[in-house]
Amino acid sequence: MDFDVIVLGAGIVGVSSALHLQDRGRRVALVDRRAPGEETSFGNAGLIERSSIVPYAFPRKFATLLRYARNESTDLYWDYRALPSYVTWLARFWWESSPQRLAAAARDMLPLISQSVAEHDALIARADVASLVHAHGWVQAFRTHAALERGTATAELAAHEHGLNFTPLDAAALRAREPGLGEGFVGALHWHDPKSVSNPGALTKGYARLFEREGGTLFTGDATTVREERDGWSVETSSGRIAAREVVVALGPWSDAVFAPLGYRIPLRVKRGYHMHYRPTHTMLSQPIVDTEQGYVIAPMDGDRLRLTTGVEIARRDAPPTGIQLARVERIAKPLFGLGERVDAAPWLGMRPCTPDMRPVIGPAPRHRGLWFAFGHNHHGLTLGPVTGRLLAEMMTGAAPFTDPRPYRPARFD
């Protein structure tokens, strides 16, 4: 064998998995069609989200469903042409989002979320990328007093049960903290435990440089050429076909390109999203702000830019960009956040890999020896990349996992 492990996918999950396997003595090859951190890991809001204990669920309130049915909201846009391929997935998502099942999903995700910042911190120090990461937390802003009251009650419960730290802000305190913010929010919650990243793609690249610096090998290659050999797996790269005893599928929203031909029917779908960068016309924000009721994020990024990241677009993965959701949000966000001219020539379109039970897929494939999965992190791939890499490496090397991996096992969908 050329290597002990081939990791397919050089996003934050794949790079982190490769690093943790390498730390445990494995000879690792990291394979991607592009450079590290240039797909889903590139375009997110840059949050290491320690405070998001409860997963994003299917809405249950009739008023919310009615608003979504009109397809005029800012936080969700759906393309009717995609609905036939999503209907079964959405039905399972709705079923998994009942209060009892959602609570179970939150319990299952808690060990990963709780360890997320610590695992990032360890890699940040080793990779010397601390300049990209900021410990200011993030702000959850509200437009109505009713929403603020509900949000505060939820936050108080999370603080009590999970030891999270937040500070309530009225409108005046919010404006004092962010002088560049316009009128529109009645108050906010400042969450202190999360961290923000001013260039998520660069963070992933920094971790990848650490992987190479410590002896790892990065290849350009096509993951769909992977094939099972008599005593392992091989994949075609620009340097020729390489082989290893084990292979990890960490291809995010494209993971089905490998697992589906092998006979696995894991219900993985994408929630699409857009971002655009703007020059600020007001004072630069000091931390990301989520417009809770409109469902978008404005985050300060390197190069004196503000990144607007949209909510969810339900559309086929390969459908061309629509721009509809971004245009709706832009009209609302521009005056409030002082968004000036667009910096990017075109909006960036990204794919969030999602499972209907709101848990990632981490662990051994049930019917193929040496095949491992690490994908489906819903909206929290950046947050959960390093902690996923640790858990996967512990399982693959026979170490005691730091948490029970059964909630994330691929076989749950068999």
Side-chain angles (χ1 to χ4, degrees):
M1 296 289 107
D2 300 305
F3 298 91
D4 297 319
V5 184
I6 297 170
V7 177
L8 302 176
I12 188 65
V13 175
V15 171
S16 299
S17 299
L19 270 169
H20 277 284
L21 286 162
Q22 183 173 259
D23 287 345
R24 288 159 177 80
R26 297 298 192 262
R27 294 174 299 123
V28 183
L30 185 60
V31 179
D32 203 308
R33 61 185 178 181
R34 301 183 65 176
E38 295 192 355
E39 292 285 1
T40 306
S41 298
F42 171 79
N44 53 73
L47 289 173
I48 303 174
E49 235 310 50
R50 170 66 180 84
S51 62
S52 284
I53 302 298
V54 180
Y56 293 103
F58 197 106
R60 289 289 178 123
K61 293 182 178 180
F62 178 74
T64 303
L65 293 172
L66 184 61
R67 176 165 61 86
Y68 286 167
R70 295 192 186 104
N71 208 18
E72 297 174 352
S73 66
T74 54
D75 49 344
L76 175 70
Y77 170 76
W78 48 272
D79 182 346
Y80 71 92
R81 291 167 295 187
L83 290 185
S85 63
Y86 273 82
V87 64
T88 302
W89 188 92
L90 289 170
R92 173 75 179 272
F93 186 24
W94 177 86
W95 185 79
E96 295 282 1
S97 298
S98 70
Q100 182 178 5
R101 294 185 182 90
L102 181 60
R107 288 193 299 271
D108 287 343
M109 292 303 298
L110 181 60
L112 300 183
I113 294 291
S114 297
Q115 193 65 21
S116 60
V117 171
E119 293 298 331
H120 265 288
D121 283 347
L123 293 184
I124 288 164
R126 291 171 56 193
D128 193 24
V129 290
S131 62
L132 298 173
V133 185
H134 312 281
H136 307 308
W138 65 282
V139 170
Q140 182 182 11
F142 299 88
R143 294 173 172 268
T144 65
H145 288 286
L148 176 60
E149 290 174 4
R150 291 192 299 270
T152 303
T154 301
E156 289 172 345
L157 182 62
H160 174 72
E161 292 186 349
H162 306 300
L164 297 174
N165 300 287
F166 76 96
T167 300
L169 304 172
D170 60 19
L174 177 59
R175 290 288 299 279
R177 183 169 185 82
E178 297 291 351
L181 201 59
E183 300 285 348
F185 295 127
V186 301
L189 304 174
H190 178 202
W191 294 94
H192 299 285
D193 300 279
K195 293 187 176 182
S196 61
V197 181
S198 56
N199 192 328
L203 182 75
T204 305
K205 289 180 183 296
Y207 291 174
R209 286 194 299 272
L210 172 64
F211 167 72
E212 289 189 285
R213 193 162 64 239
E214 297 194 351
T217 309
L218 185 64
F219 291 94
T220 301
D222 182 359
T224 63
T225 65
V226 68
R227 71 184 183 211
E228 189 176 13
E229 307 289 355
R230 186 181 63 168
D231 55 353
W233 299 83
S234 69
V235 65
E236 190 67 37
T237 75
S238 57
S239 300
R241 182 164 285 272
I242 61 172
R245 297 196 182 281
E246 296 180 290
V247 64
V248 176
V249 179
L251 293 163
W254 297 279
S255 296
D256 60 343
V258 172
F259 71 68
L262 293 172
Y264 294 96
R265 297 294 176 259
I266 299 171
L268 185 73
R269 292 290 185 275
V270 299
K271 297 179 185 176
R272 306 197 332 169
Y274 298 84
H275 86 222
M276 172 59 69
H277 292 110
Y278 306 83
R279 295 296 178 198
T281 61
H282 301 166
T283 304
M284 188 69 170
L285 293 179
S286 63
Q287 64 209 321
I289 297 181
V290 177
D291 187 338
T292 307
E293 287 135 299
Q294 297 295 335
Y296 65 91
V297 182
I298 302 291
M301 292 284 159
D302 284 352
D304 194 30
R305 303 171 299 162
L306 290 172
R307 176 180 289 184
L308 187 160
T309 305
T310 70
V312 171
E313 180 181 76
I314 299 297
R316 291 194 299 268
R317 184 172 56 195
D318 57 351
T322 65
I324 294 172
Q325 192 177 39
L326 181 63
R328 291 174 180 174
V329 172
E330 196 176 64
R331 288 193 297 269
I332 296 170
K334 268 196 168 186
L336 184 55
F337 289 92
L339 303 182
E341 63 180 6
R342 286 185 169 189
V343 175
D344 306 325
W348 183 85
L349 170 61
M351 315 287 173
R352 305 174 180 106
C354 299
T355 61
D357 67 355
M358 296 161 283
R359 299 163 177 86
V361 179
I362 308 171
R367 298 191 302 277
H368 289 81
R369 183 180 179 183
L371 176 63
W372 297 80
F373 294 152
F375 54 80
H377 290 75
N378 297 278
H379 294 252
H380 294 307
L382 178 65
T383 296
L384 299 176
V387 72
T388 294
R390 174 184 169 179
L391 180 61
L392 181 73
E394 288 169 344
M395 286 190 284
M396 291 181 67
T397 59
F402 79 93
T403 189
D404 183 358
R406 286 178 297 178
Y408 328 115
R409 65 193 186 282
R412 73 186 190 269
F413 294 117
D414 249 22

